[in-house]
Amino acid sequence: MFNYIEQLLSNKTIRFIAQTIFYFIVLMFLLYMYGYAEHGQGGFIYNEF
């Protein structure tokens, strides 16, 4: 099993596709966490201008 994965990752095209998918998932997770963190916060109110 490990040898099969090792053979797949030695192919540059498959490695590029796997890394692209991995980074896309990480980016989507970070965007989700950023959006989740802003729930419940009010908008900025200009006070005393």
Side-chain angles (χ1 to χ4, degrees):
M1 178 75 180
F2 186 71
N3 289 335
Y4 178 71
I5 295 172
E6 205 171 89
Q7 286 176 340
L8 280 177
L9 291 179
S10 66
N11 187 343
K12 288 187 178 190
T13 304
I14 294 176
R15 185 178 181 129
F16 173 77
I17 292 170
Q19 283 182 336
T20 303
I21 292 170
F22 173 74
Y23 289 130
F24 179 75
I25 291 171
V26 169
L27 179 64
M28 289 297 111
F29 177 73
L30 290 174
L31 288 174
Y32 171 76
M33 292 303 291
Y34 178 74
Y36 179 73
E38 291 200 13
H39 285 289
Q41 293 180 355
F44 183 74
I45 299 172
Y46 289 94
N47 205 359
E48 299 195 21
F49 272 106

